[in-house]
């Protein structure tokens, strides 16, 4: 006992150190939040993408154009067909005639730019969009490119969409979409250069959901779409809403929660322009009545179990662009 | 904050070790206490008040038990109430952790060490600690608080009251052990974790049978590397600071029976249950009935100690069954010297133990059943859904290096090379491994599980 009370300084020491630590950890806690950000190796910079696309524009345009020219004859009939149909509705014969100009045939690239411009013109003049969502067949996905993160990787593995093209990678964000090597090799750039697509479906945003402001994120998203369209002027971009997470995840995780996801989805909607960028909310396909991913649909409350990918696919097929 | 966090490694190597050896040895014990408190605080500061209260209780009960050693009933009552209090604390903090954000890290290890302390004092194996600084340092000794090894006060008391002097050879050995442990955890276990996570994300009903087998063995390797890696890091850190912690694993997968496996897996826990449950209840020397009962209690308590979910009880039940079988009906087979039987018994361990790990790993019974239905390709009860028959190829392609490395680390060979062979080449190898670990940790963010990518 004596021994114990003679150690009074020890207790003062212990208490003082606990108090100091209590104060100190408030700062350490904050530091830890930012620490991983500083440590990240190989972080994406916007400049990197700019350089990438610039380089592409200047040195490889000619090469790509000739590649496009090769597949032009095949794809062009498709495009003119769809343009023709829509123009029949609008009684715009001039557009079709323009397309038949022989020198434009030589480079499909220019044709597509023209088509895109024409569409924009029509849209601007208030004569309505070209497409609406409706039921489609599986062959619809023949000319679809999916870009996305691990959820899209899952779709490629368990969605039974063998005819679609996938450029997806676990951990992909809107900021590093052009930097990453995708599942199965190649980059998004490679996929965009490989062939012409009719529709490009994107779902990104869950990984970076907690970092940065929604405004900056949507701006980055918009930049990515611009870059995609520069390479694929004829393709229609479909922005899929970020799939929500389970209520457990939403409550426990600091940054990845449905509030953040909703906020970003709302901002994403604004990017749609009604003629070559569309927004598709896929959450009705998978969420419960409270707007959460049901807990028995997912192990980690983020990814669907393999057997539930059909919900997403079915929804895409009942909401195809027509 | 674990030992493989970059902030721990930086704080420990750059600040703590130099400070520890620069200060006079009297102050070192205070620094150690400060370090331990800091370690708890960095994990969860809100646990510190509980620790302080718990310290007073344990300290005085320990002294009380000795003081009333002539009045048996009082000292016994003190011991029992102390144990009850400690168990109540453990159960309540586990239950509270489910509803709150704050968790009492390593509460299981903390609890059984205090219980062991009471029982050992009660049995007059040693005098209780009368120096609060030493007792605080024993309770909170940061290398062992997260995942053990479990160590008796008796084994640490000498070092605690008079810390060892600086010794370059010890320091090097400690560093080598730490690096071996860190490599096991960071380079292999944390990688293999992603296979396990991926398979769970896919859902057990959608994996092929061969992927189920791969997953089972991968998980078994991962669990060993993770736990052994962590234990080695703890032992290494303690050794660097001049303390000896007992080793926790002895190449368990090379065992010839399941009872042997559990003498070589998490050794300090097994010994604790042997000394504080099995022997006090009668053990194997007082007839079959007592043996049956004490073995049953050991495994019941082991199951409960691992967690308050059903799967741990099933896991412990299965192990109890096999160990009982080995000790009774099949005794002759496991004691035989015939080569064929020895080989068979090794294969039996490598067949049964990974299956028990799957029960250990999957917290809900329905999913355990799903996993085993895919493992044996039984499609009657649980119907497989969207199975990709060649999915195993992708996982073998992605994880083969880690699986091979992991298998090698399950053998004692790496320890022999990295720790016991003190030549310049192994020193260089340790150096390379250290920086490879640091690089991997930096690349993957601080905590590979917290910053998991989607």
């Amino acid at each position: 006992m004596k021994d114990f009370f003679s150690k009074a300084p020890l207790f003062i020491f212990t208490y003082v150190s606990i108090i100091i630590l209590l104060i100190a950890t408030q700062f350490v806690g904050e530091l830890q939040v930012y620490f991983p950000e500083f440590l990240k190796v190989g972080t994406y910079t916007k400049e990197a993408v700019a350089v990438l696309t610039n380089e592409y524009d200047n040195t490889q345009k000619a090469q790509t154009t000739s590649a496009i020219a090769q597949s032009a004859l095949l794809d062009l009939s498709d495009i003119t067909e769809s343009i023709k149909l829509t123009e029949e509705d609008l009684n715009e014969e001039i557009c079709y005639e323009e397309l038949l100009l022989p020198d434009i045939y030589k480079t499909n690239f220019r044709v597509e730019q023209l088509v895109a411009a024409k569409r924009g013109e029509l849209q601007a003049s208030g004569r309505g969009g070209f497409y609406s969502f409706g039921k489609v067949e599986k062959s619809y996905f023949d000319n679809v490119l999916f870009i996305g993160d691990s959820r899209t990787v899952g779709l490629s593995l368990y969605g039974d969409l063998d005819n679609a093209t996938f450029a997806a990678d676990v951990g992909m964000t809107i900021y590093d979409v052009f930097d990453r090597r995708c599942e199965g090799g190649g980059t998004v750039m490679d996929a965009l250069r490989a062939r012409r697509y009719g529709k490009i479906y994107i779902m990104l945003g869950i990984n970076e959901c907690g970092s940065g402001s929604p405004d900056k994120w949507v701006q980055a998203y918009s930049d990515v779409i611009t870059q995609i369209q520069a390479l694929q002027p004829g393709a229609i971009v479909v922005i899929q809403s970020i799939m929500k997470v389970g209520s457990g995840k939403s409550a426990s995780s600091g940054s990845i929660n449905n509030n953040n996801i909703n906020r970003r989805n709302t901002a994403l909607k604004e990017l749609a322009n009604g003629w070559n960028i569309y927004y598709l909310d896929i959450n009705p396909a998978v969420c419960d009545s409270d707007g959460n991913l049901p807990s028995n649909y997912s192990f980690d409350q983020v990814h669907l179990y393999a057997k539930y990918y059909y919900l997403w696919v079915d929804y895409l097929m009942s909401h195809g662009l027509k | 904050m674990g030992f493989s966090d970059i902030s721990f490694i930086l704080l420990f190597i750059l600040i703590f070790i130099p400070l520890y050896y620069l200060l006079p040895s009297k102050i070192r014990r205070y620094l150690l206490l400060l370090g331990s408190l800091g370690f708890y605080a960095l994990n969860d500061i809100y646990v510190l008040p509980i620790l302080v209260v718990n310290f007073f209780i344990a300290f005085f009960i320990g002294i009380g038990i000795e003081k009333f050693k002539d009045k048996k009933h009082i000292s016994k009552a003190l011991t029992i109430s102390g144990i009850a209090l400690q168990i109540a604390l453990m159960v309540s903090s586990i239950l509270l952790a489910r509803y709150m954000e704050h968790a009492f890290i390593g509460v299981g290890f903390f609890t059984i060490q205090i219980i062991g302390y009471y029982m050992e004092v009660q049995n007059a194996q040693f005098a209780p600690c009368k120096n609060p600084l030493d007792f605080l340092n024993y309770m909170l000794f940061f290398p062992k608080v997260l995942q053990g090894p479990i160590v008796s006060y008796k084994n640490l008391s000498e070092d605690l009251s008079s810390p060892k002097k600086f010794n370059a050879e010890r320091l090097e050995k400690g560093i080598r052990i730490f690096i071996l442990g860190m490599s096991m955890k960071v380079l292999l276990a944390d990688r293999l974790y992603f296979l396990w996570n991926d398979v769970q994300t896919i859902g057990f009903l959608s994996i092929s049978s061969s992927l189920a087998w791969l997953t089972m063995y991968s998980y078994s390797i991962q669990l060993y590397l993770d736990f052994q890696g962590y234990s080695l890091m703890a032992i290494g850190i303690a050794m660097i600071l001049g303390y000896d912690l007992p080793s926790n694993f002895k190449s368990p997968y090379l065992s010839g029976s399941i009872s042997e496996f559990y003498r070589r897996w998490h050794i300090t826990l097994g010994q604790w249950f042997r000394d504080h449950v099995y022997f006090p209840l009668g053990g194997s020397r007082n007839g079959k009935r007592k043996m049956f009962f004490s073995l049953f209690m050991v495994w019941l308590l082991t199951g409960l100690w691992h967690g308050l979910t059903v799967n741990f009880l099933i896991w412990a039940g299965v192990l109890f069954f096999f160990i009982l079988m080995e000790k009774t009906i099949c005794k002759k087979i496991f004691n035989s010297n015939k080569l064929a039987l020895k080989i068979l018994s090794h294969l039996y361990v490598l067949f049964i133990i990974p299956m028990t790990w799957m029960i250990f790993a999957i917290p809900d019974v329905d999913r355990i059943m799903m996993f085993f239905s895919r493992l044996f390709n039984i499609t009657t009860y649980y119907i497989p859904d969207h199975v990709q028959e060649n999915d195993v190829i992708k996982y073998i392609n992605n994880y083969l290096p880690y699986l091979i490395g992991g298998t090698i680390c399950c053998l004692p060979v790496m320890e022999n090379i990295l720790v016991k062979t003190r030549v310049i080449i192994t020193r260089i190898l340790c150096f390379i491994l250290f920086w490879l670990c640091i690089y991997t940790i930096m690349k993957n963010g601080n905590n590979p599980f917290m910053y998991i990518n989607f």
Side-chain angles (χ1 to χ4, degrees), chain B residues 228-247:
Chain B
Q228 163 71 328
Y230 212 90
S231 299
L232 286 178
M233 282 194 275
I235 292 166
I237 290 167
M239 193 172 277
I240 290 168
L241 299 177
Y243 297 86
D244 287 321
L245 289 180
S247 68

Side-chain angles (χ1 to χ4, degrees), chain A residues 86-147:
Chain A
T86 47
E87 277 158 8
E88 273 174 359
D89 296 338
L90 295 161
N91 293 321
E92 286 276 350
E93 294 293 327
I94 320 138
C95 182
Y96 187 59
E97 277 174 23
E98 260 183 32
L99 284 171
L100 294 176
L101 286 173
D103 55 336
I104 295 171
Y105 260 100
K106 285 173 195 161
T107 50
N108 196 12
F109 202 75
R110 277 202 61 202
V111 176
E112 290 184 10
Q113 277 178 332
L114 260 175
V115 173
K118 198 74 204 167
R119 279 189 184 137
E121 218 174 85
L122 289 165
Q123 172 66 19
S125 62
R127 275 180 281 183
F130 275 66
Y131 294 101
S132 57
F133 290 113
K135 209 167 162 47
V136 292
E137 293 301 307
K138 205 186 161 191
S139 60
Y140 172 83
F141 295 100
D142 286 348
N143 64 355
V144 167
L145 170 69
F146 283 95
I147 298 173

Side-chain angles (χ1 to χ4, degrees), chain A residues 3 150 157 171 207 299 306, chain B residues 59 130 200 202 388 394 451 454:
Chain A
D3 195 25
S150 56
L157 291 170
N207 285 299
F299 167 71
Chain B
F59 186 74
K130 291 191 180 105
Q200 291 186 93
I202 293 168
Q388 301 262 322
K394 177 186 157 193
Y451 296 95
F454 301 129

